[in-house]
Amino acid sequence: MEHRFLAHLASRARLTEVAAERVDRVRRETLDRLAAVLLKLSVLSEADLADEMAAFSGHPRLDTRAAGPLLAATDLPVAASFLRAHQLVVLAADEAGVTVACWDALDEYAAKALAFACERPIAWTIATHSQIQHWLHADDARSRTAPPTSAVDAPSDDDEIDRLKDLASEAPVIRLVQQIINDAVQRRASDIHLEASESGLHVRVRMDGLLREAATHSKELASSVVSRLKVMAGLNIAERRLPQDGRISVTVQGREIDFRVATAPTLHGESVVLRILDRQDVALDFAALGFDAHVTRQLHDAIGRPHGIVLVTGPTGSGKTTTLYAALKEINTPDKKILTVEDPVEYVLQGINQVPIKPQIGLTFAGALRSFLRQDPDVMMVGEIRDRETAEIAIQAALTGHLLLSTLHTNTAAAAVTRLLDMGIDDYLLTSTLHLIVGQRLVRRLCEHCREPYEPSAEAARYRIAPAGVWYRARGCRVCQGGYKGRTTIVEILAMSDGVRSKILQRADAHQIEQVAIGEGMRTLFRHGIERVDAGLTTLEEVLRVTHLT
């Protein structure tokens, strides 16, 4: 029906061919309803849209002076949440029929569902979007301010839970949640953010490390969508005051994809973030992650040793856990027992014993790691060293003949040393156990279809760079997202040489340790990034963005 309405608009000279193509493209990309897209892009005014809806559907146009709605005053067997979700307003109802106002006459599902539920004739009339919104908000205000007439009338906790479950089980909500998930997966997003505000339910997706607007839905849908996700993740649907975490699996395009779900209470409702864990889309291989032969050789040497510590550092979202998974995959053989403790377990690795921490019952990184020592492991992976206790047990494990892999949230590889010293770890223990520290970032890859070469004279002079290849800049095309498609890794490797160990024992700061390592041949994140620029893989702007240099 939406395609026919587009054709109707074109036939009445309401849309040019270019505008129609733009509207249809945005509709397909956002999965929003056509009527919403027409208003969002300001292609038609609200009044013009209502006029065209009336002409197309044959329903009468509602007089703007019409009386207010009945909504909850009716005895219809239809939930008020259904009417709000589809933005329908009941103007009159008796045994002979029901008069309903809408602003989107293209919602065939709502029309059929309402007719089926009411079992009497439905007389439709077309109003403007603002008129419908005004009536719905007025009814919400009445619902919030009207006190229950007695204790019997006051909704109980069980009633509220049942209401939320009903909202979550309605077909339109189920369909909307599936559409949001499908859209994000098709865009190759890593996260989905659903945020409630005064203006509506905003959906954003993180693509190649950056958040992008995806869609906006009416705020009446916010609680329904959140409740649906809670039901899917097995969370407490009635608990809206505290954060909750869960996990769901959804079939998208014929394959099963895992999602990590995290909720948090906000001023206007709950915020939900879904981390997309697509195992088929993650290559746990050093070469596929963008590590060159030099880096791969150093990593293989470090993780091939029988004991010691290998750390991966960087901010949140820099790919640290994926690098550790790739390392575990490299050394996962039948003759090794490998244990991991994670927060949470992101990808399930065959042949490896993975434990998610549960602080609420006392299962912390330190507690799990201490128990691991009694499990006779060969290799252990700790999701993150966050405190002195965990660091001390990690050092003990390395000293007693175990290989331990972990992460730290520091900006550089050298800063990981000073962070551990600040935690209270003795310098001589660090020099005895640390093998290698990897600092890494993820940079967006240039789209090979539209990248364009340029002469970087000004930039090269500012940062004292001598370009060793052709430099490209992002342009943007239909294949990519603003000139970039996918990401690759830039890395710095701090190896424990005699010179570095000497500086650690002298309690030198991170900058001094780094300078010694550079003098011994260490390639910094910035220098590796420039090599990526020289190779035409990314841009100087991307390298500066992730290394925070100006």
Side-chain angles (χ1 to χ4, degrees):
M1 183 178 287
E2 292 189 337
H3 283 294
R4 288 196 288 115
F5 186 61
L6 271 179
H8 165 83
L9 295 176
S11 68
R12 291 165 61 92
R14 288 290 196 176
L15 281 183
T16 64
E17 184 177 347
V18 173
E21 289 179 357
R22 180 184 175 215
V23 167
D24 193 45
R25 183 177 69 253
V26 172
R27 181 182 66 83
R28 286 185 282 104
E29 289 177 352
T30 63
L31 297 179
D32 280 347
R33 298 197 59 80
L34 175 60
V37 173
L38 290 168
L39 289 185
K40 183 188 297 183
L41 299 179
S42 299
V43 175
L44 294 175
S45 68
E46 289 192 7
D48 288 342
L49 177 62
D51 289 341
E52 294 303 328
M53 283 286 181
F56 175 75
S57 64
H59 302 319
R61 178 78 156 79
L62 183 66
D63 189 331
T64 55
R65 295 166 297 178
L70 295 179
L71 281 174
T74 70
D75 59 352
L76 297 178
V78 179
S81 58
F82 174 85
L83 298 175
R84 292 188 179 89
H86 292 276
Q87 299 186 23
L88 306 177
V89 173
V90 179
L91 298 178
D94 54 31
E95 294 182 358
V98 181
T99 302
V100 180
C102 69
W103 70 276
D104 181 4
L106 309 180
D107 191 348
E108 295 179 279
Y109 170 81
K112 292 178 180 177
L114 192 60
F116 177 80
C118 292
E119 297 182 331
R120 65 187 97 169
I122 306 292
W124 293 92
T125 183
I126 307 298
T128 65
H129 177 263
S130 294
Q131 196 170 17
I132 296 292
Q133 292 297 311
H134 171 73
W135 282 337
L136 291 175
H137 292 164
D139 184 73
D140 284 342
R142 284 195 301 271
S143 299
R144 288 193 297 269
T145 57
T149 57
S150 68
V152 176
D153 295 327
S156 66
D157 289 342
D158 290 341
D159 291 337
E160 178 65 7
I161 293 172
D162 290 340
R163 187 186 72 83
L164 291 171
K165 288 181 177 178
D166 288 342
L167 288 173
S169 61
E170 289 179 351
V173 173
I174 295 173
R175 188 174 62 211
L176 175 58
V177 169
Q178 187 68 45
Q179 286 179 344
I180 291 171
I181 289 173
N182 289 351
D183 177 52
V185 172
Q186 289 170 4
R187 295 185 181 200
R188 301 175 67 86
S190 60
D191 303 85
I192 306 172
H193 293 247
L194 297 103
E195 300 155 338
S197 72
E198 283 186 319
S199 59
L201 175 66
H202 300 278
V203 181
R204 296 193 289 172
V205 295
R206 189 175 296 279
M207 300 171 60
D208 296 335
L210 299 180
L211 276 175
R212 300 174 184 272
E213 292 284 349
T216 300
H217 303 280
S218 65
K219 68 177 183 180
E220 290 77 21
L221 286 170
S223 60
S224 306
V225 170
V226 172
S227 296
R228 173 61 185 168
L229 290 169
K230 283 184 172 182
V231 168
M232 295 171 69
L235 303 180
N236 183 352
I237 195 172
E239 179 56 77
R240 288 167 289 180
R241 301 163 300 169
L242 298 173
Q244 298 186 69
D245 295 294
R247 199 179 183 100
I248 61 177
S249 292
V250 180
T251 300
V252 180
Q253 297 175 339
R255 69 180 193 271
E256 189 171 295
I257 297 178
D258 293 333
F259 295 81
R260 196 175 74 204
V261 182
T263 71
T266 67
L267 182 63
H268 299 291
E270 289 180 279
S271 169
V272 183
V273 177
L274 288 81
R275 168 65 58 87
I276 302 175
L277 307 173
D278 189 354
R279 285 168 287 183
Q280 297 182 21
D281 198 39
V282 176
L284 299 180
D285 175 81
F286 289 145
L289 294 177
F291 295 163
D292 57 27
H294 176 66
V295 171
T296 301
R297 186 166 55 252
Q298 288 182 289
L299 282 170
H300 276 150
D301 177 63
I303 64 178
R305 299 185 184 187
H307 53 78
I309 297 176
V310 175
L311 296 176
V312 182
T313 71
T316 299
S318 58
K320 301 185 298 296
T321 302
T322 304
T323 296
L324 290 183
Y325 279 152
L328 291 176
K329 184 179 178 184
E330 290 279 333
I331 58 179
N332 184 19
T333 56
D335 62 326
K336 289 187 177 70
K337 179 165 184 174
I338 303 175
L339 297 170
T340 76
V341 53
E342 307 171 53
D343 181 25
V345 174
E346 293 197 4
Y347 297 98
V348 177
L349 303 176
Q350 295 298 320
I352 294 177
N353 300 280
Q354 297 173 266
V355 177
I357 69 166
K358 296 179 180 178
Q360 62 271 26
I361 61 171
L363 182 58
T364 61
F365 279 128
L369 189 55
R370 188 180 292 108
S371 70
F372 281 1
L373 295 175
R374 298 188 290 271
Q375 292 285 318
D376 190 28
D378 297 290
V379 181
M380 292 180 285
M381 190 269 272
V382 183
E384 183 185 351
I385 295 178
R386 298 175 177 172
D387 50 47
R388 177 174 180 173
E389 184 182 11
T390 306
E392 288 178 338
I393 300 171
I395 293 288
Q396 179 187 350
L399 288 172
T400 54
H402 305 89
L403 178 65
L404 187 132
L405 312 179
S406 190
T407 72
L408 272 176
H409 278 82
T410 59
N411 289 329
T412 65
V417 174
T418 55
R419 174 68 59 80
L420 290 170
L421 291 173
D422 290 342
M423 285 182 182
I425 302 302
D426 292 327
D427 48 23
Y428 69 90
L429 291 177
L430 283 185
T431 58
S432 301
T433 55
L434 270 179
H435 285 332
L436 199 73
I437 305 175
V438 181
Q440 71 176 59
R441 300 288 191 279
L442 294 175
V443 294
R444 292 182 294 169
R445 295 179 68 107
L446 276 166
C447 173
E448 296 182 358
H449 296 275
C450 66
R451 64 179 185 177
E452 58 182 16
Y454 75 107
E455 183 59 41
S457 53
E459 294 94 332
R462 180 182 179 187
Y463 294 99
R464 300 178 182 178
I465 302 167
V470 177
W471 280 24
Y472 295 86
R473 58 188 167 201
R475 189 177 64 184
C477 67
R478 299 182 66 180
V479 175
C480 65
Q481 296 289 335
Y484 298 93
K485 188 175 183 182
R487 289 190 288 178
T488 189
T489 314
I490 59 173
V491 179
E492 64 182 15
I493 300 285
L494 179 65
M496 288 296 107
S497 65
D498 290 340
V500 170
R501 290 191 179 95
S502 176
K503 284 295 180 183
I504 294 175
L505 292 172
Q506 295 171 24
R507 293 280 175 155
D509 61 27
H511 177 71
Q512 293 172 316
I513 294 172
E514 185 177 83
Q515 289 304 306
V516 169
I518 291 173
E520 295 176 347
M522 184 183 86
R523 179 182 58 187
T524 64
L525 284 168
F526 180 71
R527 180 52 53 188
H528 190 206
I530 296 304
E531 291 181 15
R532 297 292 198 187
V533 176
D534 287 334
L537 294 177
T538 190
T539 62
L540 176 62
E541 290 76 17
E542 269 298 288
V543 175
L544 295 176
R545 179 179 68 84
V546 301
T547 57
H548 304 291
L549 296 176
T550 56

